[in-house]
Amino acid sequence: MRDIIIIGSGPAGFTAAIYAARAELKPLLIASSVEIGGELMNTTEVENFPGFPEGIMGPDLMAKLQAQAERFGTEVVYDDVVELELDGPVKRVTLGSGDVHEASALIYATGSAYRKLGLPEEEVLSGHGLSWCATCDGFFFRQKTIAVIGGGDSAMEEATFLTRFADKVYVVHRRDSLKASKIMQQRAFDNPKIEFIWNAEVTAIHGDGQVNGVTLRDTVTGEVRALDLDGLFVAIGNDPRTHLVHGKLDLTPEGTIAVEGRTSKTSIPGVFAAGDVIDPHYRQAVTAAGSGTVAALDAEHYLAALGNENAAEALLENEFAVVD
């Protein structure tokens, strides 16, 4: 039986693995058999992750995080978790291959998934003018014309933020009124760079290697028209990947895993959660990495309290060490 198992291969999971491995807990990290590396694998240049002044490609950043975790002794398994048994002192993880792994502690860091429009062009143009994160990619659209899809608070926040860079921001919404809070609506209405396109849905995204426009269909009349763009941001929400812990861990009203205060402690002792799966607001690689750190330290304290002398000794060294 292992000391700790980490589920998830994004910034939270690999950062937790780095800390746990440095504490000589020999973590097992279970990465997806398909979506390894999280949402950053679909991101081109990342310019806001500390330590990379020239920027770094999303897949390259994840490769470095994985290499660092493996350098200290993390074992990575490429398979999918199909069942979790979390009650009791032994946590059991069943994989699609049928293998069962057991540990005294478990960190759940499966992240979240941006909701998509369901159009085939999304797979081709993601990272090429099509984005789900204004904070991540807004800088690349200076003096451009872009559109934001959505009508909630996140869409209004994204649109308002993007006016710092773009010359023109369209907000495309399939209804004639917004779901966003009044204050967020008013900020968008008052911004001279924002123009609303009501009762419209995107039925196609255009571009040969780079987004250059969309096709809009009027949801009332059915009329179809083209809209030229330099970029498209989809802000119709995201869903934390919590399906494996439904009915097992307490969730928040937003659907994320509930944790105690600023800790990573869930409703079951020995089970910790980190990253976007507990964060309905920020969803940044750097905040996920910080959350992974918290989870690893919380797990180390838990294991030390169980009487694991090696974990207790390594914990003291790890908390004052610099991650290189």
Side-chain angles (χ1 to χ4, degrees), residues 246-267:
H246 285 183
K248 301 178 187 293
L249 298 178
D250 290 347
L251 304 180
T252 68
E254 292 90 352
T256 54
I257 295 175
V259 294
E260 297 178 18
R262 296 183 64 187
T263 77
S264 64
K265 300 175 184 177
T266 70
S267 54

Side-chain angles (χ1 to χ4, degrees), residues 177-197:
S177 62
L178 300 171
K179 298 181 294 182
S181 60
K182 294 298 182 183
I183 188 170
M184 295 299 294
Q185 290 189 41
Q186 199 57 52
R187 287 176 185 170
F189 291 147
D190 292 342
N191 194 309
K193 287 188 175 182
I194 296 177
E195 178 179 338
F196 285 83
I197 301 177

Side-chain angles (χ1 to χ4, degrees), residues 105-180:
L106 182 141
I107 295 176
Y108 194 83
T110 53
S112 64
Y114 292 110
R115 294 176 190 161
K116 297 185 177 182
L117 299 172
L119 300 174
E121 300 90 352
E122 287 178 290
E123 303 304 321
V124 177
L125 295 173
S126 175
H128 300 279
L130 174 62
S131 174
W132 285 263
C133 179
T135 308
C136 308
D137 300 327
F139 180 83
F140 301 110
F141 293 88
R142 288 186 178 277
Q143 300 179 317
K144 302 292 186 179
T145 297
I146 58 181
V148 174
I149 312 301
D153 277 352
S154 60
M156 297 308 103
E157 185 175 359
E158 299 265 286
T160 302
F161 175 82
L162 288 166
T163 59
R164 300 181 187 183
F165 310 102
D167 286 342
K168 180 77 172 182
V169 178
Y170 292 102
V171 173
V172 180
H173 187 43
R174 59 182 295 110
R175 300 180 178 83
D176 59 2
S177 62
L178 300 171
K179 298 181 294 182

Side-chain angles (χ1 to χ4, degrees), residues 4 15-25 105 107 272 292-306 308 311-319:
I4 189 167
T15 303
I18 291 168
Y19 272 76
R22 282 177 62 91
E24 298 184 355
L25 297 177
I107 295 176
F272 307 89
T293 302
V294 170
L297 295 177
D298 284 343
E300 290 169 28
H301 280 289
Y302 173 81
L303 291 169
L306 292 179
N308 186 330
E313 181 180 351
L315 170 62
L316 294 176
E317 296 177 358
N318 194 41
E319 286 184 332

Side-chain angles (χ1 to χ4, degrees), residues 196-218:
F196 285 83
I197 301 177
W198 304 104
N199 297 320
E201 63 180 359
V202 175
T203 58
I205 307 170
H206 308 302
D208 184 10
Q210 185 72 23
V211 170
N212 59 29
V214 296
T215 296
L216 299 178
R217 186 185 74 86
D218 191 299

Side-chain angles (χ1 to χ4, degrees), residues 42-124:
N42 299 317
T43 303
T44 51
E45 192 167 7
V46 179
E47 292 191 324
N48 56 4
F49 197 91
F52 298 94
E54 304 302 322
I56 183 171
M57 300 296 283
D60 292 339
L61 175 58
M62 293 315 306
K64 288 180 178 293
L65 287 174
Q66 179 171 348
Q68 190 171 5
E70 291 179 326
R71 172 192 168 194
F72 295 115
T74 300
E75 179 185 351
V76 178
V77 171
Y78 302 99
D79 204 341
D80 299 308
V81 178
V82 295
E83 181 59 41
L84 293 174
E85 297 176 49
L86 304 178
D87 292 326
V90 177
K91 318 305 176 186
R92 294 181 176 85
V93 179
T94 303
L95 304 182
S97 63
D99 292 344
V100 177
H101 297 278
E102 297 181 339
S104 298
L106 182 141
I107 295 176
Y108 194 83
T110 53
S112 64
Y114 292 110
R115 294 176 190 161
K116 297 185 177 182
L117 299 172
L119 300 174
E121 300 90 352
E122 287 178 290
E123 303 304 321
V124 177

